[in-house]
Every structure is written in structure tokens, then in C-alpha cells.
Amino acid sequence: MDLLNVIWAYVLVFILSAIPFFEALVVVPLAILGGLHPLLVTVIAVIGNLLTVYLVIVFIEKIKSWRKKKKKDEDQKESKRSRRAQVIWKKYGLPGLALIGPFFVGSHLTALMSITLGGTKKGVAYWMTISLVAWCIGLAILAYLGFDLLGSGDRGFIIEIFNR
């Protein structure tokens, strides 16, 4: 695989990890199973995901007004995700929601709900950073070790795609 294809593969990791509801938690295991370097994948995916989560935190007021306007047009019924987040918030607070939320509802929605439910921007940024780093490292280790335990030496479907 030539250098340009390697760079392109890591750029895709960055872009895909920044997309809400796809995010680093999905990209990290897939990229590692695809044959990319686990450490590079993890670092790049965390940076991509955190960049957009920080944008949500910074522009929260505009996002809330956009959502309020959108909900006016739609039914005012509370979503299942929102109820689940409120239960977690009441039971575990900001740290609990930030640590549990990305796995169930995604990091962007978790950040939005954390601030909506009363978290500060600084606190949400702090806990979301810890959460995403922990989740990505954990999933990278599981993907790497799990794949090795399967004894599959032919991993690298991403590399094969770029070599065609």
C-alpha cells in the first residue's frame, strides 16, 4: 500500500469518527480489524470525534434554538433517548451520563443532553473527553486482542481495498 493510500485511510478514520451517530466508537474497531495501526487509529478517531463534540458544546445555544424550532413543527412528545438520559442524569449525574451515554446514544447527543440537563460547558467538555478516550482505548484493545485471539492473520481488508 503506497503512502497516499495510507494517508487517505487515516483521513477517512478522522472524517468518519467526526460524524454524529457513526463516531469513533464504531470507527476504531472497524479500522483496526481493517488492518490499520491501532494506536494511530485510536488517536486520530478520538481527535475527530472530540472536535465535533467540542463544536456542539461551543454552539449549544444555537443548537438548542434550532431543536426547539424543529420540535415546534413536530410532536412535542419526549423521546425514549431523552427519558433514558434523564434517568441516568438523576442517578449518576454528569460523570455517569458522559461515561455511559456515548455507548447508547452517541457522544454528540450525550454532550447536548448533558448541558440541557444542567451540566456546565467546562464540565461536559472534561467528562466527554475522559469518556471518549476511555471508550476508544478500551474498544481498540478489545478489537486488537479479540482479533488476535481468533487467529486470523489475514486482517487488513482496508489495505486490500486500497491496493486494488
mmCIF file of all heavy atoms in Angstrom, residues 94-141:
data_model
loop_
_atom_site.group_PDB
_atom_site.id
_atom_site.type_symbol
_atom_site.label_atom_id
_atom_site.label_comp_id
_atom_site.label_asym_id
_atom_site.label_seq_id
_atom_site.Cartn_x
_atom_site.Cartn_y
_atom_site.Cartn_z
ATOM 1 N N LEU A 94 -23.531 14.117 35.926
ATOM 2 C CA LEU A 94 -22.762 14.371 34.705
ATOM 3 C C LEU A 94 -21.736 13.287 34.411
ATOM 4 O O LEU A 94 -21.667 12.796 33.274
ATOM 5 C CB LEU A 94 -22.100 15.752 34.767
ATOM 6 C CG LEU A 94 -21.173 16.113 33.605
ATOM 7 C CD1 LEU A 94 -21.917 16.048 32.276
ATOM 8 C CD2 LEU A 94 -20.573 17.484 33.822
ATOM 9 N N PRO A 95 -20.927 12.862 35.395
ATOM 10 C CA PRO A 95 -19.942 11.815 35.079
ATOM 11 C C PRO A 95 -20.593 10.526 34.552
ATOM 12 O O PRO A 95 -20.106 9.939 33.585
ATOM 13 C CB PRO A 95 -19.235 11.560 36.418
ATOM 14 C CG PRO A 95 -19.415 12.821 37.182
ATOM 15 C CD PRO A 95 -20.758 13.347 36.770
ATOM 16 N N GLY A 96 -21.686 10.122 35.160
ATOM 17 C CA GLY A 96 -22.361 8.904 34.723
ATOM 18 C C GLY A 96 -22.910 9.014 33.314
ATOM 19 O O GLY A 96 -22.738 8.114 32.494
ATOM 20 N N LEU A 97 -23.574 10.130 33.020
ATOM 21 C CA LEU A 97 -24.137 10.318 31.688
ATOM 22 C C LEU A 97 -23.025 10.406 30.647
ATOM 23 O O LEU A 97 -23.123 9.800 29.576
ATOM 24 C CB LEU A 97 -25.015 11.575 31.640
ATOM 25 C CG LEU A 97 -25.729 11.844 30.318
ATOM 26 C CD1 LEU A 97 -26.616 10.664 29.916
ATOM 27 C CD2 LEU A 97 -26.547 13.118 30.400
ATOM 28 N N ALA A 98 -21.959 11.127 30.955
ATOM 29 C CA ALA A 98 -20.849 11.268 29.998
ATOM 30 C C ALA A 98 -20.141 9.941 29.747
ATOM 31 O O ALA A 98 -19.695 9.676 28.633
ATOM 32 C CB ALA A 98 -19.856 12.312 30.498
ATOM 33 N N LEU A 99 -20.041 9.115 30.775
ATOM 34 C CA LEU A 99 -19.347 7.834 30.614
ATOM 35 C C LEU A 99 -20.220 6.756 29.983
ATOM 36 O O LEU A 99 -19.735 5.919 29.232
ATOM 37 C CB LEU A 99 -18.806 7.353 31.966
ATOM 38 C CG LEU A 99 -17.684 8.202 32.553
ATOM 39 C CD1 LEU A 99 -17.386 7.775 33.983
ATOM 40 C CD2 LEU A 99 -16.432 8.137 31.701
ATOM 41 N N ILE A 100 -21.519 6.785 30.259
ATOM 42 C CA ILE A 100 -22.416 5.753 29.747
ATOM 43 C C ILE A 100 -23.039 6.164 28.410
ATOM 44 O O ILE A 100 -23.210 5.352 27.513
ATOM 45 C CB ILE A 100 -23.526 5.446 30.781
ATOM 46 C CG1 ILE A 100 -22.919 4.865 32.048
ATOM 47 C CG2 ILE A 100 -24.558 4.489 30.200
ATOM 48 C CD1 ILE A 100 -23.889 4.776 33.215
ATOM 49 N N GLY A 101 -23.363 7.436 28.276
ATOM 50 C CA GLY A 101 -24.104 7.941 27.130
ATOM 51 C C GLY A 101 -23.536 7.647 25.751
ATOM 52 O O GLY A 101 -24.280 7.237 24.861
ATOM 53 N N PRO A 102 -22.231 7.846 25.520
ATOM 54 C CA PRO A 102 -21.710 7.626 24.163
ATOM 55 C C PRO A 102 -21.967 6.226 23.625
ATOM 56 O O PRO A 102 -22.172 6.049 22.426
ATOM 57 C CB PRO A 102 -20.210 7.890 24.307
ATOM 58 C CG PRO A 102 -20.116 8.861 25.424
ATOM 59 C CD PRO A 102 -21.205 8.441 26.383
ATOM 60 N N PHE A 103 -21.989 5.250 24.480
ATOM 61 C CA PHE A 103 -22.211 3.881 24.022
ATOM 62 C C PHE A 103 -23.662 3.661 23.594
ATOM 63 O O PHE A 103 -23.937 2.915 22.658
ATOM 64 C CB PHE A 103 -21.830 2.887 25.118
ATOM 65 C CG PHE A 103 -21.870 1.461 24.667
ATOM 66 C CD1 PHE A 103 -20.890 0.957 23.829
ATOM 67 C CD2 PHE A 103 -22.905 0.640 25.053
ATOM 68 C CE1 PHE A 103 -20.939 -0.360 23.390
ATOM 69 C CE2 PHE A 103 -22.969 -0.686 24.627
ATOM 70 C CZ PHE A 103 -21.976 -1.180 23.792
ATOM 71 N N PHE A 104 -24.597 4.333 24.258
ATOM 72 C CA PHE A 104 -26.014 4.100 23.993
ATOM 73 C C PHE A 104 -26.645 5.094 23.021
ATOM 74 O O PHE A 104 -27.463 4.714 22.192
ATOM 75 C CB PHE A 104 -26.813 4.082 25.297
ATOM 76 C CG PHE A 104 -26.492 2.902 26.156
ATOM 77 C CD1 PHE A 104 -25.720 3.041 27.294
ATOM 78 C CD2 PHE A 104 -26.936 1.639 25.799
ATOM 79 C CE1 PHE A 104 -25.404 1.951 28.078
ATOM 80 C CE2 PHE A 104 -26.626 0.534 26.581
ATOM 81 C CZ PHE A 104 -25.852 0.691 27.721
ATOM 82 N N VAL A 105 -26.298 6.377 23.130
ATOM 83 C CA VAL A 105 -26.948 7.385 22.289
ATOM 84 C C VAL A 105 -25.974 8.202 21.446
ATOM 85 O O VAL A 105 -26.400 9.060 20.689
ATOM 86 C CB VAL A 105 -27.826 8.347 23.128
ATOM 87 C CG1 VAL A 105 -28.959 7.606 23.789
ATOM 88 C CG2 VAL A 105 -27.012 9.135 24.130
ATOM 89 N N GLY A 106 -24.688 7.967 21.577
ATOM 90 C CA GLY A 106 -23.700 8.721 20.813
ATOM 91 C C GLY A 106 -23.148 9.886 21.613
ATOM 92 O O GLY A 106 -23.816 10.423 22.501
ATOM 93 N N SER A 107 -21.943 10.268 21.291
ATOM 94 C CA SER A 107 -21.257 11.305 22.070
ATOM 95 C C SER A 107 -21.839 12.697 21.855
ATOM 96 O O SER A 107 -21.918 13.492 22.787
ATOM 97 C CB SER A 107 -19.761 11.312 21.735
ATOM 98 O OG SER A 107 -19.558 11.521 20.357
ATOM 99 N N HIS A 108 -22.275 13.004 20.649
ATOM 100 C CA HIS A 108 -22.804 14.333 20.367
ATOM 101 C C HIS A 108 -24.126 14.570 21.108
ATOM 102 O O HIS A 108 -24.310 15.612 21.728
ATOM 103 C CB HIS A 108 -22.993 14.510 18.859
ATOM 104 C CG HIS A 108 -21.727 14.338 18.100
ATOM 105 N ND1 HIS A 108 -21.285 13.109 17.674
ATOM 106 C CD2 HIS A 108 -20.800 15.231 17.715
ATOM 107 C CE1 HIS A 108 -20.142 13.259 17.043
ATOM 108 N NE2 HIS A 108 -19.823 14.542 17.058
ATOM 109 N N LEU A 109 -24.988 13.593 21.042
ATOM 110 C CA LEU A 109 -26.262 13.699 21.743
ATOM 111 C C LEU A 109 -26.053 13.683 23.260
ATOM 112 O O LEU A 109 -26.749 14.389 23.990
ATOM 113 C CB LEU A 109 -27.198 12.568 21.318
ATOM 114 C CG LEU A 109 -28.650 12.684 21.731
ATOM 115 C CD1 LEU A 109 -29.255 13.999 21.264
ATOM 116 C CD2 LEU A 109 -29.458 11.528 21.168
ATOM 117 N N THR A 110 -25.080 12.921 23.723
ATOM 118 C CA THR A 110 -24.761 12.913 25.156
ATOM 119 C C THR A 110 -24.303 14.286 25.620
ATOM 120 O O THR A 110 -24.726 14.772 26.670
ATOM 121 C CB THR A 110 -23.680 11.860 25.471
ATOM 122 O OG1 THR A 110 -24.172 10.572 25.120
ATOM 123 C CG2 THR A 110 -23.303 11.878 26.938
ATOM 124 N N ALA A 111 -23.443 14.933 24.840
ATOM 125 C CA ALA A 111 -22.974 16.281 25.194
ATOM 126 C C ALA A 111 -24.135 17.266 25.215
ATOM 127 O O ALA A 111 -24.263 18.073 26.147
ATOM 128 C CB ALA A 111 -21.908 16.741 24.206
ATOM 129 N N LEU A 112 -24.995 17.192 24.215
ATOM 130 C CA LEU A 112 -26.161 18.076 24.151
ATOM 131 C C LEU A 112 -27.075 17.860 25.350
ATOM 132 O O LEU A 112 -27.492 18.814 26.013
ATOM 133 C CB LEU A 112 -26.923 17.817 22.847
ATOM 134 C CG LEU A 112 -28.169 18.645 22.609
ATOM 135 C CD1 LEU A 112 -27.793 20.094 22.370
ATOM 136 C CD2 LEU A 112 -28.941 18.102 21.431
ATOM 137 N N MET A 113 -27.364 16.598 25.667
ATOM 138 C CA MET A 113 -28.244 16.293 26.801
ATOM 139 C C MET A 113 -27.596 16.687 28.125
ATOM 140 O O MET A 113 -28.289 17.141 29.033
ATOM 141 C CB MET A 113 -28.601 14.814 26.810
ATOM 142 C CG MET A 113 -29.540 14.421 25.712
ATOM 143 S SD MET A 113 -29.858 12.652 25.807
ATOM 144 C CE MET A 113 -31.085 12.477 24.544
ATOM 145 N N SER A 114 -26.294 16.508 28.241
ATOM 146 C CA SER A 114 -25.607 16.849 29.488
ATOM 147 C C SER A 114 -25.735 18.330 29.804
ATOM 148 O O SER A 114 -25.965 18.715 30.952
ATOM 149 C CB SER A 114 -24.130 16.469 29.403
ATOM 150 O OG SER A 114 -23.978 15.078 29.307
ATOM 151 N N ILE A 115 -25.585 19.157 28.785
ATOM 152 C CA ILE A 115 -25.716 20.602 29.011
ATOM 153 C C ILE A 115 -27.181 20.970 29.232
ATOM 154 O O ILE A 115 -27.502 21.774 30.101
ATOM 155 C CB ILE A 115 -25.104 21.391 27.840
ATOM 156 C CG1 ILE A 115 -23.580 21.202 27.857
ATOM 157 C CG2 ILE A 115 -25.461 22.866 27.921
ATOM 158 C CD1 ILE A 115 -22.839 21.838 26.722
ATOM 159 N N THR A 116 -28.070 20.370 28.473
ATOM 160 C CA THR A 116 -29.503 20.644 28.620
ATOM 161 C C THR A 116 -30.000 20.274 30.016
ATOM 162 O O THR A 116 -30.838 20.968 30.592
ATOM 163 C CB THR A 116 -30.311 19.874 27.557
ATOM 164 O OG1 THR A 116 -29.848 20.255 26.267
ATOM 165 C CG2 THR A 116 -31.783 20.160 27.658
ATOM 166 N N LEU A 117 -29.460 19.203 30.580
ATOM 167 C CA LEU A 117 -29.898 18.757 31.904
ATOM 168 C C LEU A 117 -29.215 19.488 33.057
ATOM 169 O O LEU A 117 -29.502 19.225 34.208
ATOM 170 C CB LEU A 117 -29.680 17.246 32.033
ATOM 171 C CG LEU A 117 -30.568 16.391 31.130
ATOM 172 C CD1 LEU A 117 -30.137 14.933 31.187
ATOM 173 C CD2 LEU A 117 -32.031 16.529 31.510
ATOM 174 N N GLY A 118 -28.282 20.401 32.739
ATOM 175 C CA GLY A 118 -27.716 21.227 33.798
ATOM 176 C C GLY A 118 -26.205 21.215 33.931
ATOM 177 O O GLY A 118 -25.667 21.860 34.821
ATOM 178 N N GLY A 119 -25.507 20.509 33.090
ATOM 179 C CA GLY A 119 -24.047 20.496 33.155
ATOM 180 C C GLY A 119 -23.451 21.777 32.592
ATOM 181 O O GLY A 119 -24.041 22.419 31.728
ATOM 182 N N THR A 120 -22.296 22.147 33.101
ATOM 183 C CA THR A 120 -21.601 23.322 32.569
ATOM 184 C C THR A 120 -20.815 22.922 31.315
ATOM 185 O O THR A 120 -20.472 21.755 31.131
ATOM 186 C CB THR A 120 -20.609 23.903 33.597
ATOM 187 O OG1 THR A 120 -19.581 22.933 33.847
ATOM 188 C CG2 THR A 120 -21.308 24.270 34.897
ATOM 189 N N LYS A 121 -20.516 23.894 30.481
ATOM 190 C CA LYS A 121 -19.755 23.603 29.262
ATOM 191 C C LYS A 121 -18.390 23.011 29.612
ATOM 192 O O LYS A 121 -17.958 22.041 28.990
ATOM 193 C CB LYS A 121 -19.567 24.868 28.427
ATOM 194 C CG LYS A 121 -20.822 25.336 27.747
ATOM 195 C CD LYS A 121 -20.536 26.567 26.902
ATOM 196 C CE LYS A 121 -21.795 27.035 26.199
ATOM 197 N NZ LYS A 121 -21.537 28.180 25.317
ATOM 198 N N LYS A 122 -17.738 23.584 30.602
ATOM 199 C CA LYS A 122 -16.419 23.103 31.006
ATOM 200 C C LYS A 122 -16.498 21.680 31.560
ATOM 201 O O LYS A 122 -15.693 20.821 31.222
ATOM 202 C CB LYS A 122 -15.824 24.049 32.059
ATOM 203 C CG LYS A 122 -14.413 23.736 32.447
ATOM 204 C CD LYS A 122 -13.880 24.771 33.434
ATOM 205 C CE LYS A 122 -12.473 24.441 33.858
ATOM 206 N NZ LYS A 122 -11.957 25.420 34.820
ATOM 207 N N GLY A 123 -17.484 21.427 32.406
ATOM 208 C CA GLY A 123 -17.654 20.101 32.986
ATOM 209 C C GLY A 123 -17.985 19.048 31.940
ATOM 210 O O GLY A 123 -17.450 17.939 31.959
ATOM 211 N N VAL A 124 -18.857 19.413 31.000
ATOM 212 C CA VAL A 124 -19.231 18.480 29.939
ATOM 213 C C VAL A 124 -18.016 18.191 29.054
ATOM 214 O O VAL A 124 -17.767 17.034 28.703
ATOM 215 C CB VAL A 124 -20.423 19.023 29.121
ATOM 216 C CG1 VAL A 124 -20.676 18.173 27.888
ATOM 217 C CG2 VAL A 124 -21.674 19.091 29.989
ATOM 218 N N ALA A 125 -17.266 19.216 28.701
ATOM 219 C CA ALA A 125 -16.067 19.007 27.879
ATOM 220 C C ALA A 125 -15.075 18.088 28.587
ATOM 221 O O ALA A 125 -14.505 17.171 27.976
ATOM 222 C CB ALA A 125 -15.409 20.345 27.541
ATOM 223 N N TYR A 126 -14.884 18.306 29.863
ATOM 224 C CA TYR A 126 -13.952 17.498 30.657
ATOM 225 C C TYR A 126 -14.387 16.028 30.687
ATOM 226 O O TYR A 126 -13.610 15.128 30.362
ATOM 227 C CB TYR A 126 -13.884 18.079 32.079
ATOM 228 C CG TYR A 126 -13.072 17.267 33.049
ATOM 229 C CD1 TYR A 126 -11.680 17.327 33.040
ATOM 230 C CD2 TYR A 126 -13.691 16.436 33.987
ATOM 231 C CE1 TYR A 126 -10.932 16.585 33.932
ATOM 232 C CE2 TYR A 126 -12.957 15.688 34.879
ATOM 233 C CZ TYR A 126 -11.571 15.776 34.855
ATOM 234 O OH TYR A 126 -10.829 15.027 35.740
ATOM 235 N N TRP A 127 -15.642 15.786 31.048
ATOM 236 C CA TRP A 127 -16.119 14.409 31.183
ATOM 237 C C TRP A 127 -16.289 13.710 29.845
ATOM 238 O O TRP A 127 -16.069 12.502 29.734
ATOM 239 C CB TRP A 127 -17.413 14.360 32.004
ATOM 240 C CG TRP A 127 -17.117 14.484 33.469
ATOM 241 C CD1 TRP A 127 -17.305 15.576 34.263
ATOM 242 C CD2 TRP A 127 -16.518 13.479 34.287
ATOM 243 N NE1 TRP A 127 -16.864 15.313 35.521
ATOM 244 C CE2 TRP A 127 -16.375 14.026 35.580
ATOM 245 C CE3 TRP A 127 -16.088 12.186 34.066
ATOM 246 C CZ2 TRP A 127 -15.833 13.319 36.634
ATOM 247 C CZ3 TRP A 127 -15.543 11.473 35.116
ATOM 248 C CH2 TRP A 127 -15.420 12.038 36.386
ATOM 249 N N MET A 128 -16.656 14.445 28.811
ATOM 250 C CA MET A 128 -16.766 13.834 27.484
ATOM 251 C C MET A 128 -15.384 13.441 26.953
ATOM 252 O O MET A 128 -15.245 12.417 26.291
ATOM 253 C CB MET A 128 -17.468 14.781 26.495
ATOM 254 C CG MET A 128 -18.943 14.955 26.762
ATOM 255 S SD MET A 128 -19.903 13.413 26.774
ATOM 256 C CE MET A 128 -19.625 12.797 25.132
ATOM 257 N N THR A 129 -14.375 14.235 27.256
ATOM 258 C CA THR A 129 -13.014 13.892 26.842
ATOM 259 C C THR A 129 -12.564 12.603 27.519
ATOM 260 O O THR A 129 -12.065 11.686 26.862
ATOM 261 C CB THR A 129 -12.036 15.044 27.176
ATOM 262 O OG1 THR A 129 -12.478 16.238 26.508
ATOM 263 C CG2 THR A 129 -10.619 14.709 26.751
ATOM 264 N N ILE A 130 -12.766 12.532 28.818
ATOM 265 C CA ILE A 130 -12.402 11.319 29.564
ATOM 266 C C ILE A 130 -13.162 10.111 29.015
ATOM 267 O O ILE A 130 -12.584 9.047 28.776
ATOM 268 C CB ILE A 130 -12.687 11.497 31.077
ATOM 269 C CG1 ILE A 130 -11.690 12.487 31.682
ATOM 270 C CG2 ILE A 130 -12.634 10.165 31.812
ATOM 271 C CD1 ILE A 130 -12.007 12.899 33.100
ATOM 272 N N SER A 131 -14.449 10.287 28.793
ATOM 273 C CA SER A 131 -15.284 9.198 28.315
ATOM 274 C C SER A 131 -14.847 8.693 26.940
ATOM 275 O O SER A 131 -14.675 7.488 26.741
ATOM 276 C CB SER A 131 -16.737 9.668 28.254
ATOM 277 O OG SER A 131 -17.559 8.687 27.683
ATOM 278 N N LEU A 132 -14.665 9.599 25.995
ATOM 279 C CA LEU A 132 -14.301 9.175 24.635
ATOM 280 C C LEU A 132 -12.922 8.534 24.586
ATOM 281 O O LEU A 132 -12.713 7.547 23.883
ATOM 282 C CB LEU A 132 -14.390 10.352 23.671
ATOM 283 C CG LEU A 132 -15.814 10.748 23.303
ATOM 284 C CD1 LEU A 132 -15.835 12.025 22.483
ATOM 285 C CD2 LEU A 132 -16.492 9.625 22.549
ATOM 286 N N VAL A 133 -11.976 9.088 25.330
ATOM 287 C CA VAL A 133 -10.638 8.492 25.371
ATOM 288 C C VAL A 133 -10.720 7.081 25.959
ATOM 289 O O VAL A 133 -10.151 6.130 25.410
ATOM 290 C CB VAL A 133 -9.649 9.390 26.167
ATOM 291 C CG1 VAL A 133 -8.358 8.662 26.458
ATOM 292 C CG2 VAL A 133 -9.371 10.681 25.404
ATOM 293 N N ALA A 134 -11.443 6.935 27.050
ATOM 294 C CA ALA A 134 -11.564 5.620 27.696
ATOM 295 C C ALA A 134 -12.257 4.611 26.784
ATOM 296 O O ALA A 134 -11.788 3.474 26.626
ATOM 297 C CB ALA A 134 -12.317 5.750 29.020
ATOM 298 N N TRP A 135 -13.392 5.000 26.188
ATOM 299 C CA TRP A 135 -14.110 4.098 25.296
ATOM 300 C C TRP A 135 -13.257 3.688 24.105
ATOM 301 O O TRP A 135 -13.231 2.515 23.721
ATOM 302 C CB TRP A 135 -15.401 4.752 24.785
ATOM 303 C CG TRP A 135 -16.569 4.589 25.703
ATOM 304 C CD1 TRP A 135 -17.173 5.572 26.439
ATOM 305 C CD2 TRP A 135 -17.280 3.385 25.990
ATOM 306 N NE1 TRP A 135 -18.220 5.038 27.163
ATOM 307 C CE2 TRP A 135 -18.303 3.694 26.907
ATOM 308 C CE3 TRP A 135 -17.150 2.067 25.571
ATOM 309 C CZ2 TRP A 135 -19.188 2.748 27.397
ATOM 310 C CZ3 TRP A 135 -18.034 1.119 26.062
ATOM 311 C CH2 TRP A 135 -19.042 1.469 26.958
ATOM 312 N N CYS A 136 -12.577 4.650 23.503
ATOM 313 C CA CYS A 136 -11.775 4.341 22.305
ATOM 314 C C CYS A 136 -10.590 3.442 22.638
ATOM 315 O O CYS A 136 -10.295 2.505 21.885
ATOM 316 C CB CYS A 136 -11.313 5.625 21.626
ATOM 317 S SG CYS A 136 -12.665 6.469 20.786
ATOM 318 N N ILE A 137 -9.925 3.710 23.742
ATOM 319 C CA ILE A 137 -8.807 2.847 24.139
ATOM 320 C C ILE A 137 -9.309 1.439 24.450
ATOM 321 O O ILE A 137 -8.731 0.447 24.002
ATOM 322 C CB ILE A 137 -8.051 3.446 25.347
ATOM 323 C CG1 ILE A 137 -7.265 4.693 24.908
ATOM 324 C CG2 ILE A 137 -7.104 2.423 25.964
ATOM 325 C CD1 ILE A 137 -6.635 5.469 26.052
ATOM 326 N N GLY A 138 -10.402 1.361 25.195
ATOM 327 C CA GLY A 138 -10.969 0.049 25.520
ATOM 328 C C GLY A 138 -11.384 -0.727 24.287
ATOM 329 O O GLY A 138 -11.077 -1.914 24.144
ATOM 330 N N LEU A 139 -12.078 -0.079 23.365
ATOM 331 C CA LEU A 139 -12.516 -0.756 22.144
ATOM 332 C C LEU A 139 -11.343 -1.118 21.237
ATOM 333 O O LEU A 139 -11.360 -2.158 20.577
ATOM 334 C CB LEU A 139 -13.528 0.115 21.397
ATOM 335 C CG LEU A 139 -14.887 0.223 22.069
ATOM 336 C CD1 LEU A 139 -15.753 1.271 21.378
ATOM 337 C CD2 LEU A 139 -15.596 -1.121 22.080
ATOM 338 N N ALA A 140 -10.301 -0.278 21.230
ATOM 339 C CA ALA A 140 -9.110 -0.590 20.434
ATOM 340 C C ALA A 140 -8.426 -1.836 20.976
ATOM 341 O O ALA A 140 -8.036 -2.728 20.207
ATOM 342 C CB ALA A 140 -8.144 0.597 20.442
ATOM 343 N N ILE A 141 -8.308 -1.919 22.278
ATOM 344 C CA ILE A 141 -7.677 -3.091 22.894
ATOM 345 C C ILE A 141 -8.508 -4.342 22.623
ATOM 346 O O ILE A 141 -7.975 -5.384 22.236
ATOM 347 C CB ILE A 141 -7.480 -2.870 24.416
ATOM 348 C CG1 ILE A 141 -6.406 -1.806 24.654
ATOM 349 C CG2 ILE A 141 -7.123 -4.175 25.120
ATOM 350 C CD1 ILE A 141 -6.317 -1.317 26.086
#
